[in-house]
Amino acid sequence: MLAFTIRRLLQAIGVMLVVALISFTLFRYVGDPVNQMVGLDTSLEQREALREQLGLNDPVLVQFARFVTRAAQLDFGTSYQFRQPVVDLIGRRLPATLELSLVSALLALLCGIPMGVYTGLNRDSLLSKLFLTISLIGISLPTFFIGILLIFLFSVTLQWLPSFGRGEVVDFGWWSTGLLTISGLKALILPAITLGLFQMTLIMRLVRSEMLEVIRTDYIKFARARGLSQRSIHFRHALKNTLVPVITITGLQLGSIIAFAIITETVFQWPGMGLLFLQSVQNVDIPVMAAYLMLIAFLFVVINLIVDLLYFVVDPRLRVERASH
């Protein structure tokens, strides 16, 4: 287990160095940082002095090493657009994105797994056909279109839920949450459904296909021959083996939810990192873009590492293979 963890950590470090190289390239080839920081009346001498002060005249390897060192210390410089430290900007937006992503992932899991189990065990029932129809809609329709439809139905027509914003939030130091207020909970419902619907349908279909495959295996037939109850067969034996690949997919999808919350945050004007990143792209705010890229890569690496470790613990075949080598 220790050797497996060390190998995964080394691979994670390699991935982060590659992402750091991509982020560093943004600073060098996506616009000139000096032009973003000075006005039109700045002289060439002042521009050159600023370039020297920023270290832009240093060799490329020296600049890259300095960038990686500062990134490891969470120093991504100052935003060109907001004139504030990038870490402070992202720190204020991070709670909103993580809250939305975690609620969406929880919604996808709590709905997707039971729906997948039910449709796998009751293939011909009317409710199963309804679930499959919902999953087809969730996979086929674009995220922004689902968000617009929900806004039209629940905000414009019925006027039950707000169409934008985060509602009232409660601050705990640097962390802010809307889960403790009525307006915050109402504002979270539509974005969470919009962001989690695709993940829910994906999990449901995966659990259903795995369930259909597992219940046809020999050990399930043997369990029936032993006289075990249907409940024990389905939930103690079949579901346990079904969840092995679900763990991997769910972990990867959690990273995708965080990374691709940009569309949902834009539709609902949710004040998270995705909306900040979109604004930085529009204004060529390179420090924010680079920091966002590094942060998302770090979250993916951490989630994948946790998933690999869980997979190693849950699936005994991996432990047997490692022990045999």
Side-chain angles (χ1 to χ4, degrees), residues 104-105 107-113 115-117 119 130-141 143 146 193-209 249 253 257:
S104 300
L107 176 67
L109 282 173
L110 293 180
C111 295
I113 292 178
M115 290 168 64
V117 172
T119 54
L130 177 62
F131 287 160
L132 290 175
T133 302
I134 294 174
S135 71
L136 185 62
I137 294 174
I139 290 179
S140 303
L141 293 181
T143 301
I146 294 175
I193 293 175
T194 302
L195 187 59
L197 184 59
F198 176 80
Q199 318 300 332
M200 182 193 73
T201 56
L202 184 65
I203 291 173
M204 190 204 84
R205 285 179 170 269
L206 176 64
V207 172
R208 178 179 181 272
S209 72
I249 299 299
Q253 290 305 312
I257 287 177

Side-chain angles (χ1 to χ4, degrees), residues 35-93:
N35 292 335
Q36 301 292 331
M37 301 175 70
V38 300
L40 296 176
D41 57 345
T42 306
S43 65
L44 293 177
E45 290 78 11
Q46 291 174 324
R47 290 172 181 267
E48 188 61 30
L50 181 58
R51 186 179 297 276
E52 186 68 30
Q53 179 184 349
L54 294 174
L56 298 177
N57 294 330
D58 294 337
V60 176
L61 291 179
V62 174
Q63 293 186 49
F64 179 65
R66 183 167 56 237
F67 174 80
V68 172
T69 302
R70 290 178 177 175
Q73 300 171 358
L74 300 180
D75 181 8
F76 293 95
T78 303
S79 167
Y80 300 156
Q81 178 185 3
F82 298 99
R83 306 295 179 183
Q84 298 178 27
V86 175
V87 174
D88 293 342
L89 284 173
I90 291 182
R92 288 195 295 269
R93 303 291 189 106

Side-chain angles (χ1 to χ4, degrees), residues 42-317:
T42 306
S43 65
L44 293 177
E45 290 78 11
Q46 291 174 324
R47 290 172 181 267
E48 188 61 30
L50 181 58
R51 186 179 297 276
E52 186 68 30
Q53 179 184 349
L54 294 174
L56 298 177
N57 294 330
D58 294 337
V60 176
L61 291 179
V62 174
Q63 293 186 49
F64 179 65
R66 183 167 56 237
F67 174 80
V68 172
T69 302
R70 290 178 177 175
Q73 300 171 358
L74 300 180
D75 181 8
F76 293 95
T78 303
S79 167
Y80 300 156
Q81 178 185 3
F82 298 99
R83 306 295 179 183
Q84 298 178 27
V86 175
V87 174
D88 293 342
L89 284 173
I90 291 182
R92 288 195 295 269
R93 303 291 189 106
L94 182 62
T97 296
L98 290 183
E99 185 174 280
L100 174 61
S101 301
L102 291 177
V103 171
S104 300
L106 192 61
L107 176 67
L109 282 173
L110 293 180
C111 295
I113 292 178
M115 290 168 64
V117 172
Y118 182 85
T119 54
L121 298 178
N122 305 274
R123 288 175 291 176
D124 299 325
S125 68
L126 184 61
L127 188 57
S128 293
K129 295 178 181 178
L130 177 62
F131 287 160
L132 290 175
T133 302
I134 294 174
S135 71
L136 185 62
I137 294 174
I139 290 179
S140 303
L141 293 181
T143 301
F144 73 90
F145 187 65
I146 294 175
I148 292 173
L149 288 178
L150 291 177
I151 289 174
F152 177 76
L153 178 60
F154 293 101
S155 299
V156 178
T157 304
L158 300 175
Q159 297 184 355
W160 289 351
L161 299 170
S163 60
F164 67 93
R166 198 182 174 195
E168 185 181 355
V169 298
V170 178
D171 294 326
F172 295 96
W174 68 275
W175 188 270
S176 62
T177 179
L179 298 177
L180 301 179
T181 63
I182 300 298
S183 63
L185 289 173
K186 286 185 176 180
L188 183 62
I189 292 175
L190 293 184
I193 293 175
T194 302
L195 187 59
L197 184 59
F198 176 80
Q199 318 300 332
M200 182 193 73
T201 56
L202 184 65
I203 291 173
M204 190 204 84
R205 285 179 170 269
L206 176 64
V207 172
R208 178 179 181 272
S209 72
E210 290 293 328
M211 203 73 179
L212 290 173
E213 183 177 347
V214 167
I215 60 178
R216 290 196 295 263
T217 55
D218 292 336
Y219 73 89
I220 295 295
K221 296 177 182 178
F222 180 71
R224 288 198 179 100
R226 288 177 56 195
L228 297 180
S229 65
Q230 289 291 94
R231 182 184 182 88
S232 177
I233 293 172
H234 292 159
F235 296 100
R236 184 179 178 183
H237 298 281
L239 182 59
K240 180 180 178 181
N241 289 277
T242 298
L243 293 180
V244 172
V246 173
I247 291 175
T248 303
I249 299 299
T250 302
L252 296 177
Q253 290 305 312
L254 178 58
S256 300
I257 287 177
I258 298 174
F260 302 118
I262 298 175
I263 298 175
T264 302
E265 291 184 2
T266 303
V267 171
F268 292 93
Q269 289 299 292
W270 188 264
M273 294 189 303
L275 188 59
L276 176 66
F277 176 74
L278 188 63
Q279 294 171 348
S280 69
V281 171
Q282 293 172 344
N283 295 280
V284 198
D285 197 345
I286 301 174
V288 176
M289 295 164 61
Y292 179 82
L293 183 61
M294 291 286 291
L295 178 60
I296 293 301
F298 177 74
L299 290 175
F300 261 102
V301 165
V302 171
I303 291 172
N304 287 345
L305 179 62
I306 294 174
V307 168
D308 285 340
L309 295 178
L310 286 176
Y311 204 69
F312 189 87
V313 171
V314 172
D315 194 347
R317 292 172 297 181

